[in-house]
Amino acid sequence: MRKVDAAVIGAGPAGITSAIYLKRYGHEVALLDPMGVGGQLMMISDIENYPGFASTTGFKLAEDFEKQANGLGLEVEYTLVKSIERLEDGTFLLRTDVEDIQARGIIAATGAKHSKLSVPGEDEFEGKGVSYCATCDAPFFKNRKVVVVGGGDTALTDALYLSRLCSEVVLVHRRDQFRGQKILQERVRNTGNIHLRMKANVVSINGDTKVRSVTLDSGDVIEADGIFIFTGIVPASSLFEGLVELDDRGFIVTNGRMETSAGGIFAAGDVRNTALRQVVTATGDGAVAASSLDEYLSR
Ligand SMILES: Cc1cc2nc3c(=O)[nH]c(=O)nc-3n(C[C@H](O)[C@H](O)[C@H](O)COP(=O)(O)OP(=O)(O)OC[C@H]3O[C@@H](n4cnc5c(N)ncnc54)[C@H](O)[C@@H]3O)c2cc1C
């Protein structure tokens, strides 16, 4: 069985930062992610709030992160961690789809995923007009009309992005106010081809071989070629159930040092119970988690 000092699970912004720090502390690190480097970065069209980069794409930032890691001799392993068990000597046994790995400490950086609307037509038309990723799918809707659902930063940013490609964007939000940043709200309101439907819920997504329309709870039917759903986030924490404390929404509970309820397991980024889920907070968490794990390993 392969033995390492630290296993970093997830190679999004939090995981890659942790791994870079741990490598610089001189530890043997396994950085594991079946998708390679990037995590949710790969879905971000424009990033304008990561210091040092006035405007960049998620893909470019992920590429830069990976280059920096490679320069330290750190390669991401395309590996899915399937289970974790604590051994009698206090170390951890990770069973993966490639091999078993024994690690003295773990950083949980498994991030989060979009949540679903759970309405008729959503699963049926996924990939046929239903999307959760504007960067991936926007080009398919060039000069077409789309519906965007949500009221947070992601919904607003992607409504703006889509408005540059699509003929019309209808932004549907269940409340009378958006949660997203004021500057984004202003931009949305000042964009001519974005139309708002506030206090409205999508109740079904309709079509034949692909999406043709969306029905709202008012009974209104909006003809559209696509629907982009940005309604919330679900933590990828099932791997840690029973090992560490999770909050009522399933996020890993940590203190300010990114320590979880289990010694030797630290958590960073979107998977933990944090006030803000962004690239900059994920990288910050990753650095703190690595520093705490370094201290744990040297004890
Ligand atoms: C559309 C969109 C737009 C966004 N725009 C911005 C923005 O403009 N600015 C900003 O700062 N933030 C933005 N964000 C948020 C930002 O991307 C996230 O906060 C950040 O990526 C979180 O990083 P993370 O490392 O915690 O998790 P993630 O990026 O989610 O990465 C987690 C990784 O863990 C891996 N993983 C999960 N389970 C396992 C397992 N069992 N074994 C191995 N690997 C596993 C996954 O494959 C994934 O690669 C946006 C997000 C989205 C979706």
Side-chain angles (χ1 to χ4, degrees):
M1 182 163 48
R2 190 171 142 214
K3 292 185 178 180
V4 294
D5 296 326
V8 177
I9 308 175
I16 193 134
T17 307
S18 295
I20 287 172
Y21 271 70
L22 286 164
K23 192 80 187 169
R24 286 169 56 88
Y25 286 131
H27 295 298
E28 184 68 31
V29 184
L31 174 60
L32 310 165
D33 194 318
M35 308 301 288
V37 171
Q40 292 171 69
L41 279 183
M42 306 313 263
M43 296 196 259
I44 309 179
S45 42
D46 296 316
I47 304 184
E48 296 181 358
N49 55 4
Y50 190 71
F53 298 82
S55 175
T56 187
T57 65
F59 182 81
K60 179 75 180 57
L61 197 54
E63 216 176 43
D64 290 344
F65 284 168
E66 187 164 21
K67 260 190 223 152
Q68 188 175 357
N70 293 163
L72 293 165
L74 183 66
E75 299 283 339
V76 63
E77 298 170 43
Y78 286 73
T79 301
L80 175 75
V81 179
K82 293 179 151 181
S83 70
I84 303 169
E85 152 194 345
R86 194 188 273 275
L87 301 175
E88 274 180 10
D89 63 359
T91 62
F92 300 93
L93 171 63
L94 280 70
R95 297 205 187 274
T96 79
D97 57 353
V98 177
E99 61 180 339
D100 289 350
I101 298 173
Q102 187 181 353
R104 292 169 58 208
I106 289 178
I107 293 185
T110 44
K113 286 210 166 75
H114 61 78
S115 59
K116 293 203 161 203
L117 280 180
S118 300
V119 297
E122 184 174 18
D123 289 339
E124 185 186 345
F125 294 112
E126 184 165 350
K128 297 173 190 154
V130 173
S131 171
Y132 304 88
C133 174
T135 320
C136 322
D137 298 331
F140 298 119
F141 298 92
K142 202 168 178 191
N143 299 323
R144 297 184 182 271
K145 179 174 169 181
V146 296
V147 169
V148 170
V149 186
D153 281 353
T154 304
L156 299 180
T157 307
D158 283 342
L160 287 164
Y161 172 56
L162 286 160
S163 73
R164 304 206 295 261
L165 286 170
C166 301
S167 56
E168 186 182 344
V169 175
V170 180
L171 179 54
V172 176
H173 182 43
R174 64 196 166 113
R175 301 189 196 284
D176 56 0
Q177 287 195 342
F178 292 115
R179 286 189 321 279
Q181 297 168 47
K182 288 279 178 293
I183 185 166
L184 296 176
Q185 294 189 30
E186 265 167 44
R187 281 190 210 164
V188 161
R189 289 185 201 282
N190 292 332
T191 302
N193 65 340
I194 299 182
H195 300 112
L196 306 184
R197 290 297 304 258
M198 307 301 279
K199 288 171 95 172
N201 291 288
V202 171
V203 291
S204 73
I205 300 166
N206 323 304
D208 35 49
T209 54
K210 55 181 189 152
V211 169
R212 301 283 178 194
S213 67
V214 163
T215 306
L216 302 183
D217 49 0
S218 59
D220 291 354
V221 176
I222 303 172
E223 285 188 10
D225 300 292
I227 172 166
F228 288 81
I229 300 167
F230 309 115
T231 48
I233 189 149
V234 182
S237 59
S238 55
L239 194 58
F240 303 96
E241 268 170 31
L243 273 176
V244 302
E245 185 189 348
L246 306 180
D247 73 9
D248 53 353
R249 294 167 62 209
F251 291 97
I252 297 177
V253 175
T254 69
N255 62 16
R257 295 199 50 78
M258 307 302 141
E259 290 164 326
T260 68
S261 58
I265 305 183
F266 302 81
D270 281 14
V271 74
R272 77 177 192 97
N273 63 336
T274 176
L276 187 63
R277 293 191 174 83
Q278 290 278 277
V279 179
V280 72
T281 48
T283 54
D285 283 1
V288 176
S291 153
S292 299
L293 177 51
D294 172 59
E295 200 182 298
Y296 173 85
L297 291 174
S298 60
R299 255 182 240 148

